Amino acid sequence: MSDPKIEGYVFKPGFKGMAQDTGSDQTMFKGVHWGKAMMWIFLLSDTFIFSCFLISYMKGRGSTLVEWPNPSEVFALDAFGVPVPLLLIAIMTFVLITSSGTMALAVKYGYEKNRKMCGWLILATAIGGLTFVGMQAFEWSKLIHEGVRPWENPFGAKQFGSFFFMITGFHGTHVSIGVIFLFIYAYKTFAGHYDERKRGWFTTMKGDYVEIEILGLYWHFVDLVWVFIFAFFYLW
Amino acid sequence: MSEDFKDNKTIQAQSSETISGGGSGVSPDIDHVRPAEVEEQDLYHGHSFITKWIFCQDAKVIGVQYFLLATFTGIIGLILSWLMRLQLGFPGAASFMTAEHYYQFVTMHGMIMVVYFLTALFLGGFGNYLIPLMVGARDMVFPYLNMVSFWMFFIAVGVLLASFFVPGGPTGAGWTLYPPQTILEGTPGSGMGILLMCLSLILFVAGFTMGGLNYLITVLQARTRGMTLMRMPLTVWGIFTATVLAMLAFPALLVGALMMSLDKILGTSFFMPTILKAGEVLEYGGGSPILFQHLFWFFGHPEVYIVALPAFGIISDLISVHSRKNIFGYRMMVWAIVGIGGLSFFVWAHHMYVSGMNPWFGFFFATTTLIIAVPTAMKVYNWILTLWRGNIRMNTVMLWCLGFIVTFVNGGITGIFLGNVTVDVPLSDTYFVIAHFHMVMGIAPLMVIMGAVYHWFPLVAGRFLDEKLGKWHFWATFLGAYSIYFPMHYLGFIGVPRRYFEMYDSPYVASATGMNEFISLAAFLVGAAQFILIFNIIKTLKTGKPAGSNPWKACSLEWLTPTVPPEHGNWGDRLPVVHRWAYDYSVPGAKEDFITQTTPPSEVVNTGVEKT
Ligand code: HEM
Ligand SMILES: [Cu+2]
């Protein structure tokens, strides 16, 4: 990444540069959009939320006396009569990670002011997210069908159901919120709000393609969190 | 929409020469400040009553809104404390006071005071009002989000107070909400009460996050030209660091509250062990109550510094202005604030010594706890050294400052007692703890709030508060608070437990009765004395002595706005340019005993502090 151009400010490389930026006036992160800085800090806070969830999960799993169910069995899916472990989850993860790719491309085309391409890619991302949520709903209903509930679990410790539904539910809510925003942003992109710098409906701030990058940060974060949830629930 | 922005001014970046007009024959070069990096913020100017005063996006109005709502909630907390004291001092005096009610009042009092009063008031109230003014911004960076933040807080307070009116009443589990008893039958408010409490906390955290993002980005990315981090007043440093703590600590509370609600609504067993009730095993089982304690105190301990750090920052500024001296060891103060903030994440289990833990674990947390005392003591020394040989103005503000130092040191010392496991175990859950945290985070921050109100009222309202009333208010509060909490140390030593509705026939009764009555009388007095302030505000709002601009002769930016009180956008059509820190008081060789932050070096040559 090249440094932004700032009148009267000479960037320095490496650690010295960091110290100089920190000691300078006006901004700490030179040339970084306010909204983008905000999203990073929000995500840091959100990281703490998910960390609390996952640490609680470890503690809960560690302190229950009843045996924890075997993930390769509970999460297996019957394909042509053969139970394949982690099949659904592999597809879900693949879809979500792919949607991160389309999101990154959307950001790139946004900055190139390629309105059409950008809009389609956002839409593709939204559909990827929607597919993910749909598959998650399918997995939930399958588990519920088999008798797993937040308060009970025929396969072992009841905390399994509690933590599973709570944490994937919380993550799924994040994805759903992301999907809603993706649809809105797709609309705004196609309608040219970012090209015309039209003001936001509520915030009254001037629109800018940087908003897509900000949403992208959120989306990548949600994907990253999924990788952890995946590891903790399905591989442990 | 665009007609709302007609009166928006677009300002070209100006070099400081044109602004300061150069100095007395000195090369204007020494006044040079880098041009603006970011274009001017475009602000939404409300026109109707609703957009100007209710759903307002101006951080100053939002700050006042936060202030008023937090004060209102605080008064409810105060009334609850009166009722508790009535019961403790004169058992049976109020016939409606049952044990259940007592527990509910203890709980609501604690939660209200800590979260909805002090946190909201320092960060939402002072943060909103002062941050943009002190760093030279036109407003918070996301005014709309900021407005939503206040209204979320409003709803959170509404939900909290609604719990007084639901069947079963508010939760009576103690403000620490420890499971399993919190959600088990037999605890008052174990149904709707606890659910509303959890919901209210979740809303509070969500609303706070919106505000907190604003405070952080405004400080990091929206300072005016010349305003480096190390030129910011300590008030901003305190609020900034407290906000960082809040952003990282509230998640634990949110998760705890969510899991608790699920245990209640869905019957999950996150925190619920196997429980025998009247010989029968309950549905719950296999969960860990200690997990909640960890989550709660991972939030709870930083929370006390979320309250304390803004207080530290504000008091530093007040002491410096009113003793006409620069704050002693500014950089040390900044690093102390940051260091305390960082350390506060590694001490939480000192609240859990009696919950049972591995001795090494207790040893670790006792060590970290005692280490925090080092930067804290540095700050106290620096306040005293700032006062040392200063040109002290003995006004109301200064009285509050001195009161703060005394009460804070007092509470800090008892904290060192409690930080040691062996000392804490017998003292935990006694009145000694009550005395400790009320001194350190009840009364001390309250003193700061009062000092800050007397100090900044002339800026917000354009008039001084009445000094005479102020002094009455101070002495009644200071002496009264000491009468309440000093004897409580003794009660703790003789073993009087906290959160007890009545002492029944325990051996404490005889020796403690007189003292309890005395404490209660003092509590009524202190509470009543706070209404002096409200009376003072109402009285002086219209008829007080006009303050004019910069009445305290302060250096920091908030006093240098073109109009007093500042208007929306703060700075008229030209942003201030900063050349120095906020503490150039009594500089030898200078014409006056203060040099404002915007004074360019060329105007103060020969003083030795051209640039600071
Ligand atoms: C006139 C002022 C005040 C009086 C008379 C007062 C009195 C009391 C009393 C009697 C208790 C209950 C003791 C027990 O039985 O456990 C208590 C608890 C508490 N107070 Fe205050 N208080 C005052 C101000 C404050 C302030 C400003 C704060 C803000 C930090 C505060 C925070 C707390 C907390 C956190 C608890 C613990 C609640 C619990 O253990 O559940 N108080 N107070
Ligand atoms: Cu603590």
Side-chain angles (χ1 to χ4, degrees), chain B residues 297 301 304 347-348 350-351:
Chain B
W297 289 113
H301 188 84
V304 311
V347 302
W348 78 90
H350 63 209
H351 296 276

Side-chain angles (χ1 to χ4, degrees), chain B residues 352-371:
Chain B
M352 297 164 57
Y353 290 152
V354 289
S355 307
M357 58 172 85
N358 184 314
W360 287 108
F361 206 56
F363 177 72
F364 172 81
F365 281 100
T367 311
T368 49
T369 303
L370 298 185
I371 289 175

Side-chain angles (χ1 to χ4, degrees), chain A residues 6-9 21-39 41-42 44-46 48-50 52-53 55-57 59-60 63-65 150-151 158-159 162-163 166 170 197 199-206, chain B residues 1 5 8 33-39 41-42 44 57 141-145 209 213 216-217 219-229 247-248 251-252 254-255 258-259 262 266-270 272 283-288 291 295 298:
Chain A
I6 292 172
E7 200 189 329
Y9 192 81
D21 290 357
T22 312
S24 74
D25 67 345
Q26 303 182 45
T27 61
M28 168 132 168
F29 307 110
K30 297 289 166 200
V32 175
H33 185 269
W34 287 346
K36 211 164 124 186
M38 177 196 81
M39 184 50 85
I41 293 181
F42 169 74
L44 180 66
S45 188
D46 215 11
F48 268 62
I49 297 189
F50 279 106
C52 287
F53 273 129
I55 291 170
S56 301
Y57 163 71
K59 165 82 180 151
S63 55
T64 170
L65 298 174
W151 56 89
K158 56 170 131 188
Q159 273 74 18
S162 325
F163 278 110
M166 177 176 70
F170 200 78
R197 308 216 61 201
R199 288 186 186 279
W201 293 310
F202 295 107
T203 61
T204 68
M205 293 222 198
K206 284 206 193 92
Chain B
M1 197 53 77
F5 294 83
N8 233 356
V33 177
R34 237 157 31 78
E37 284 172 26
V38 188
E39 61 178 302
Q41 187 175 8
D42 72 28
Y44 173 83
Q57 302 195 17
V141 283
F142 311 108
Y144 180 81
L145 204 62
T209 304
L213 291 170
L216 295 183
I217 307 300
V219 171
L220 289 176
Q221 297 292 85
R223 281 164 284 140
T224 189
R225 293 168 54 206
M227 182 61 88
T228 60
L229 290 174
M247 298 295 284
L248 304 182
L254 184 106
V255 169
L258 195 74
M259 287 163 71
L262 293 178
L266 294 183
T268 56
S269 298
F270 292 119
M272 305 300 276
E283 285 286 315
Y284 292 119
S288 164
L291 173 59
L295 287 173
F298 186 80

Side-chain angles (χ1 to χ4, degrees), chain B residues 260-599:
Chain B
M260 178 98 85
S261 322
L262 293 178
D263 276 2
K264 183 72 211 172
I265 308 173
L266 294 183
T268 56
S269 298
F270 292 119
F271 303 136
M272 305 300 276
T274 309
I275 297 167
L276 268 174
K277 188 182 160 195
E280 257 179 79
V281 185
L282 296 189
E283 285 286 315
Y284 292 119
S288 164
I290 297 283
L291 173 59
F292 179 85
Q293 297 189 12
H294 281 296
L295 287 173
F296 184 86
W297 289 113
F298 186 80
F299 145 77
H301 188 84
E303 167 64 30
V304 311
Y305 284 103
I306 292 167
V307 171
L309 294 181
F312 291 170
I314 290 173
I315 208 74
S316 310
D317 284 356
L318 302 192
I319 288 181
S320 168
V321 174
H322 293 280
S323 54
R324 315 308 296 160
K325 261 183 69 183
N326 64 342
I327 188 78
F328 189 91
Y330 172 81
R331 274 163 195 272
M332 200 199 290
M333 293 300 245
V334 170
W335 288 115
I337 288 181
V338 174
I340 293 171
L343 280 171
S344 72
F345 280 102
F346 300 97
V347 302
W348 78 90
H350 63 209
H351 296 276
M352 297 164 57
Y353 290 152
V354 289
S355 307
M357 58 172 85
N358 184 314
W360 287 108
F361 206 56
F363 177 72
F364 172 81
F365 281 100
T367 311
T368 49
T369 303
L370 298 185
I371 289 175
I372 283 209
V374 176
T376 315
M378 270 158 41
K379 298 193 73 74
V380 175
Y381 289 129
N382 285 358
W383 290 321
I384 293 171
L385 288 168
T386 307
L387 289 165
W388 179 254
R389 313 187 89 182
N391 182 7
I392 296 177
R393 296 171 177 161
M394 259 308 170
N395 52 17
T396 316
V397 183
M398 182 50 83
L399 288 178
W400 290 113
C401 295
L402 301 178
F404 163 79
I405 296 180
V406 175
T407 43
F408 184 75
V409 168
N410 191 321
I413 289 175
T414 52
I416 299 196
F417 285 51
L418 296 174
N420 293 282
V421 187
T422 40
V423 186
D424 178 74
V425 170
L427 287 178
S428 186
D429 281 322
T430 69
Y431 265 81
F432 191 83
V433 175
I434 303 284
H436 156 67
F437 73 68
H438 277 86
M439 277 289 182
V440 79
M441 91 170 286
I443 298 309
L446 200 76
M447 298 257 167
V448 177
I449 291 173
M450 294 307 167
V453 168
Y454 283 88
H455 182 77
W456 278 299
F457 189 77
L459 179 69
V460 179
R463 290 175 191 276
F464 284 107
L465 283 169
D466 189 282
E467 278 283 303
K468 219 192 218 129
L469 283 174
K471 289 193 170 138
W472 276 104
H473 178 195
F474 169 77
W475 286 110
T477 308
F478 181 71
L479 297 177
Y482 251 90
S483 314
I484 299 174
Y485 297 111
F486 212 61
M488 282 190 191
H489 293 92
Y490 172 73
L491 290 183
F493 279 138
I494 63 171
V496 178
R498 68 185 283 214
R499 292 181 180 170
Y500 270 37
F501 165 65
E502 216 189 320
M503 297 305 154
Y504 304 101
D505 285 331
S506 61
Y508 317 117
V509 179
S511 59
T513 312
M515 197 170 276
N516 261 329
E517 287 174 6
F518 173 76
I519 292 177
S520 289
L521 292 176
F524 301 145
L525 179 102
V526 171
Q530 305 317 306
F531 291 92
I532 300 179
L533 175 69
I534 295 178
F535 174 72
N536 199 344
I537 289 178
I538 294 170
K539 181 178 153 231
T540 46
L541 209 50
K542 284 270 140 52
T543 61
K545 198 165 88 186
S549 79
N550 202 357
W552 305 117
K553 302 196 189 309
C555 301
S556 46
L557 285 183
E558 84 271 22
W559 296 102
L560 308 176
T561 53
T563 50
V564 179
E567 287 168 347
H568 190 203
N570 295 349
W571 306 106
D573 48 6
R574 194 169 278 172
L575 283 170
V577 177
V578 169
H579 297 275
R580 58 191 64 253
W581 69 342
Y583 300 99
D584 272 334
Y585 293 105
S586 304
V587 175
K591 282 194 284 309
E592 284 185 274
D593 77 341
F594 70 111
I595 304 172
T596 60
Q597 280 193 280
T598 50
T599 310

